[in-house]
Amino acid sequence: MSDAVADVSGAAGVAETAAAAARPEKEAEKEAEAEKEAEASPTAGLPLRPALEAVLMVVDEPVTAGHLAKVLDRRPREISDALRELSDEYTVQGRGFDLRHVAGGWRFYTRAAYAPAVEGFVLDGQQSRLTQAALETLAVVAYRQPVSRSRVSAVRGVNCDGVMRTLLQRGLIAEAGTEDGTGAILYRTTNYFLERMGLRGLDELPELAPFLPDADAVEGESQEGVPSFDVDDET
């Protein structure tokens, strides 16, 4: 009987010893997997709050916590908590900008208390002439309206977000609803545009053909006409 007990005790000891030896190996495997995940996601190792600020600086419409979580490879709850903390921190510090949750997403806004400074900057910008890039972008909107920013950028072959904001600030273009399917904001020219161009209506815009000798080829390649005429912006 004592021999049987000894055998059982010995077997249990061997099993326990084997399990103990396996623990470091399993922990090493977990660490290796974690390292692989970090290598596969370059954003996973970034400090969260600075990463959020960097992304929010370039968005032009509210972005959801879920989208940010996907981009930064974090849990949505972690993202939501960090966004609220940043918003509270900016308020306590009295920053000139605010992080707000609007329309289901997050975005930076200037604080109402500093509206005079912003208005002064915008009004001052209206006194200067349009750049060539702005003129070309305005031409695309005029001939393709209503049109989204992405389509304008596709026609010009460069990102036009900054130029579009300038045209909005000057009242030459305005929002005209959203695009079916994508939800992208559409833009059109305004009455102020017609006034500045000396036109009674859009039907008085000149034909594009004289300015686009290869219009058919361009349309076939990009599905967008590429206006390139020079608009005189007399002030």
Side-chain angles (χ1 to χ4, degrees):
M1 182 68 177
S2 60
D3 291 342
V5 172
D7 290 343
V8 171
S9 176
V14 171
E16 183 177 351
T17 301
R23 286 193 198 104
E25 183 177 349
K26 290 181 179 179
E27 292 176 358
E29 290 177 356
K30 290 182 180 179
E31 292 178 359
E33 290 178 0
E35 290 179 359
K36 287 182 180 179
E37 291 178 358
E39 291 177 357
S41 175
T43 60
L46 294 175
L48 179 55
R49 303 213 304 182
L52 283 171
E53 291 175 325
V55 174
L56 290 168
M57 283 292 292
V58 299
V59 302
D60 56 7
E61 56 187 34
V63 58
T64 65
H67 189 184
L68 290 169
K70 182 178 180 181
V71 170
L72 298 178
D73 195 22
R74 304 295 180 94
R75 296 188 304 276
R77 179 59 181 272
E78 185 181 5
I79 294 293
S80 296
D81 290 344
L83 289 168
R84 283 191 289 268
E85 290 173 2
L86 282 172
S87 180
D88 293 341
E89 182 178 303
Y90 298 149
T91 300
V92 171
Q93 294 177 350
R95 297 292 187 90
F97 58 90
D98 185 18
L99 179 57
R100 303 179 197 167
H101 184 248
V102 294
W106 293 82
R107 184 182 179 184
F108 282 129
Y109 292 86
T110 55
R111 291 191 186 277
Y114 299 97
V118 177
E119 290 173 0
F121 175 80
V122 173
L123 291 176
D124 181 67
Q126 287 186 347
Q127 305 307 312
S128 60
R129 295 173 62 87
L130 291 177
T131 64
Q132 183 64 30
L135 291 172
E136 292 175 1
T137 301
L138 182 59
V140 175
V141 176
Y143 280 92
R144 305 296 298 186
Q145 62 184 304
V147 62
S148 66
R149 290 189 184 190
S150 60
R151 289 187 179 274
V152 174
S153 296
V155 172
R156 294 200 59 231
V158 295
N159 186 293
C160 297
D161 288 352
V163 178
M164 292 287 284
R165 283 193 291 271
T166 297
L167 296 176
L168 279 167
Q169 291 171 355
R170 299 194 184 191
L172 293 168
I173 65 174
E175 295 182 4
T178 57
E179 189 175 51
D180 293 336
T182 66
I185 298 175
L186 298 174
Y187 297 89
R188 60 170 178 80
T189 54
T190 62
N191 287 335
Y192 181 65
F193 162 81
L194 295 177
E195 178 185 340
R196 298 302 299 162
M197 296 298 110
L199 304 174
R200 287 175 294 182
L202 295 176
D203 56 343
E204 290 189 355
L205 285 170
E207 294 291 333
L208 281 179
F211 305 97
L212 297 174
D214 299 322
D216 292 338
V218 173
E219 185 72 13
E221 292 177 359
S222 66
Q223 299 301 311
E224 297 283 354
V226 184
S228 59
F229 65 94
D230 186 14
V231 181
D232 185 16
D233 183 52
E234 295 292 341
T235 59

